[in-house]
Amino acid sequence: MSTTTGKAARAAEVQGGPGTSPSPGALPHDQRGRPGRQGRKASMGVQNAAGWLFSTPFLVLFTVFMAFPILATLLMSFTDFGLRNVTRPWDANFIGFENYVNLFSDEKFLKSLFNTAYFVVIGVPLTIALGLVVAVLLNNGIDRARTFFRVGFYAPVVTTIVAVAVVWRFVLDPSDGLIAGLFSEVGLTAPDFLGSETLAMPSMIAMAVWRNVGTVMVLFIAGLQAIPTEVREAAKLDGAGVWQEFRGITVPLLRPTVLYATVITTIGYLNVFEEPFVMTQGGPSDSTLTVSLNMYREGFNFFHMGYASAMAYVLFVVIMGITVLQLRLLKDNTK
Amino acid sequence: MTVGNAPGAVRTAPARKPRNLRRPLAYALLSLGLLIMSAPFLWMALSSFKTTSELSASPPVWIPTEWTLDNFRELLDKLNLPLYFMNSVIVAVLVTVSNLVFCSMLGYALAKLNFVGRNKIFGVVLGALMVPGNLMLLPLFVLMSKLQLIDSYAGLVLPFAAGAFGVFLMRQFMQSIPDELLEAARMDGAGEWYIFWRIVMPLVKPALATLSIFTFLGSWNNFVWPLIATNDPDKYTLPVALATFATDPNKAGGSNGMLMAGAFLVVLPVLILFIALQRHFTQGIATAGLK
């Protein structure tokens, strides 16, 4: 496997290296851009060599630690790659689409797929909506302490998710946690959030929203600041109220940012792993088992690596499909 | 933190026109939001100083009546945190330095050098931005086992030694450097390496700062790969050590107090770094549009 990619990379390098084949875009465009410079011809050869020398370290690392593993995952997904193959990869048997076929009759996998979809379908709109509200309040609602609030809302994004998940586990503890305290202040008993099949996933969504609102907020602040103030002023002169201004100007002009934020939040949430790993280990009764956690377990606890590879590719295809769909929406809307 | 802002809201309100109720309402909503955002951190910080009896009190005690460092002492007894801290620092520093060098090199080539294949390489970079990390984990583990790099710093660093995000960021910044400047240097006989190292790199210091912060934090907070690439507890990074401690089925991990103390020690450096450098964060996101 490694030789194939190695050859491909070398072939590409040979093709590109000496600069005999006409390049499709870069070269003629640049010559058009700078007419009448005779000295450039000599420097082109130098730039060709330099360009490839400067690219080589990245390309080597990329080939070995990214391109090769991506391809290898695909190949592994068609084999019965198991524990013994970690030392003897070539012994794995080709079994065609068996892993993929098995996946779709595997209740555990279907459940993890459902759980991930649940997490995304509820979590993404909540994150986007709250991020938008905070950004609008920060940008138009107040005149001081902006940095202070921005830092406060963004802080959860940068903190170590494992530590944060440990904290949230305790916050949600039904007997001595923070939420339990709030419940008892008003004379109620807190439910066992993470121990309940129906509440565990919503609790995890709450934590994810809490953690990611800051990212979306920053994107929206950048988007809001790109809206020219004249447009706002004009709307105000025409007698537009707060709500009319928001619906008529802010929302349409922010649409590209909304879709972009949706794309990256969706990708992040489809890969959700640390939260269930630390908070619930997928339980109770697999109610928080996500595709990524399921893949990790099949691959690294049970060493069903071929099977886990198939899972990784199914998730990848889902992510690509959804991203392409969302990007298409993005394109249509920016026109 | 949150309370301190309330007087500001009260002070500004009367100064505005009376019909404008927007501002006080916005301050109230934001303050409430900020209280919710900071509550888990406050809870973590307060709980790590509570005694065992106050930690398990039901209903919970909000503020410890008797502040104690026992949780930290006990945690440091059970968990070699200085070692994990050093592991995390070493890995994060190596990852950051290699990203700064390699991503800048390719960023320079893509932004300023005309060479055959440039567009294809840029296509590869953009493609790499979109591939989820999960897709690489299994073969990467097999590869690292074969290379005998499991439980080594090299094994933890190499897969992250040059990221597409960094290339993208550096290319964006370097494109704004005027070509005339580089042409002039070339006329004077400067080589490409000299131009890159002595002219371009000093000009993109803000971008290098942004990339350093993002890469360092990304490595510091990374969990899945270090979890897979280490079996020997002596090579654990902080998050792996904390997660292993927290999810130990034998409950050898122990009390919530120790876990809160652990989380506190893991989160604190990151929060300080973030608050000190927060301007770079928002700039970085606004420029590259990525987290």
Side-chain angles (χ1 to χ4, degrees), chain A:
Chain A
M1 277 180 294
S2 70
T3 48
T4 331
T5 23
K7 252 181 227 155
R10 243 176 288 134
E13 205 163 334
V14 168
Q15 202 188 19
T20 41
S21 61
S23 125
L27 212 151
H29 171 85
D30 197 76
Q31 281 178 340
R32 241 181 288 130
R34 280 165 233 279
R37 254 189 221 218
Q38 291 302 314
R40 292 217 25 104
K41 271 226 163 113
S43 109
M44 280 317 293
V46 177
Q47 291 209 9
N48 244 329
W52 279 94
L53 280 174
F54 276 86
S55 311
T56 302
F58 178 91
L59 290 179
V60 169
L61 287 166
F62 170 84
T63 307
V64 177
F65 297 110
M66 200 163 173
F68 160 70
I70 291 170
L71 223 113
T73 306
L74 186 62
L75 293 177
M76 275 164 75
S77 74
F78 296 109
T79 69
D80 62 354
F81 208 99
L83 181 56
R84 71 199 162 86
N85 303 110
V86 174
T87 44
R88 306 171 61 81
W90 47 87
D91 274 1
N93 298 307
F94 181 78
I95 55 167
F97 282 92
E98 204 179 302
N99 286 327
Y100 290 94
V101 172
N102 288 342
L103 272 181
F104 288 98
S105 54
D106 177 349
E107 273 180 38
K108 214 167 191 176
F109 176 72
L110 294 176
K111 190 154 192 186
S112 71
L113 211 54
F114 171 80
N115 291 338
T116 308
Y118 180 9
F119 190 85
V120 169
V121 167
I122 307 291
V124 172
L126 274 177
T127 312
I128 301 294
L130 284 173
L132 180 59
V133 168
V134 174
V136 169
L137 285 177
L138 270 180
N139 209 49
N140 306 332
I142 64 172
D143 56 357
R144 51 179 76 195
R146 279 203 184 126
T147 310
F148 173 73
F149 281 113
R150 206 180 50 211
V151 168
F153 279 93
Y154 194 70
V157 179
V158 298
T159 47
T160 313
I161 186 154
V162 168
V164 164
V166 166
V167 172
W168 269 76
R169 217 172 62 170
F170 184 38
V171 164
L172 294 168
D173 193 299
S175 65
D176 46 20
L178 169 67
I179 307 283
L182 292 176
F183 269 73
S184 75
E185 292 284 336
V186 292
L188 293 169
T189 314
D192 185 4
F193 293 101
L194 296 177
S196 146
E197 272 186 57
T198 45
L199 291 179
M201 196 49 113
S203 308
M204 219 128 54
I205 292 172
M207 187 205 145
V209 172
W210 171 85
R211 196 176 133 82
N212 292 296
V213 155
T215 310
V216 176
M217 170 200 75
V218 172
L219 290 174
F220 280 135
I221 289 175
L224 284 169
Q225 284 170 353
I227 299 176
T229 37
E230 298 83 58
V231 180
R232 273 182 207 293
E233 297 297 323
K236 269 198 195 119
L237 283 178
D238 289 347
V242 176
W243 179 244
Q244 281 166 318
E245 187 199 318
F246 181 74
R247 280 211 49 188
I249 295 175
T250 311
V251 171
L253 287 176
L254 267 189
R255 190 159 282 173
T257 318
V258 172
L259 280 151
Y260 177 69
T262 306
V263 169
I264 63 161
T265 311
T266 307
I267 293 176
Y269 283 9
L270 280 168
N271 283 305
V272 58
F273 175 80
E274 284 95 339
E275 292 92 334
F277 184 92
V278 176
M279 289 165 80
T280 58
Q281 282 107 67
S285 314
D286 292 335
S287 62
T288 56
L289 184 72
T290 61
V291 176
S292 292
L293 182 58
N294 198 6
M295 186 204 86
Y296 171 82
R297 277 209 202 143
E298 286 290 340
F300 298 104
N301 291 349
F302 312 134
F303 286 100
H304 300 151
M305 296 186 121
Y307 195 54
S309 300
M311 267 182 214
Y313 257 92
V314 170
L315 182 62
F316 174 62
V317 168
V318 169
I319 290 174
M320 280 318 264
I322 291 175
T323 306
V324 166
L325 203 79
Q326 289 176 337
L327 286 177
R328 191 155 293 170
L329 277 168
L330 180 81
K331 230 182 198 169
D332 289 350
N333 276 290
T334 41
K335 258 176 209 162

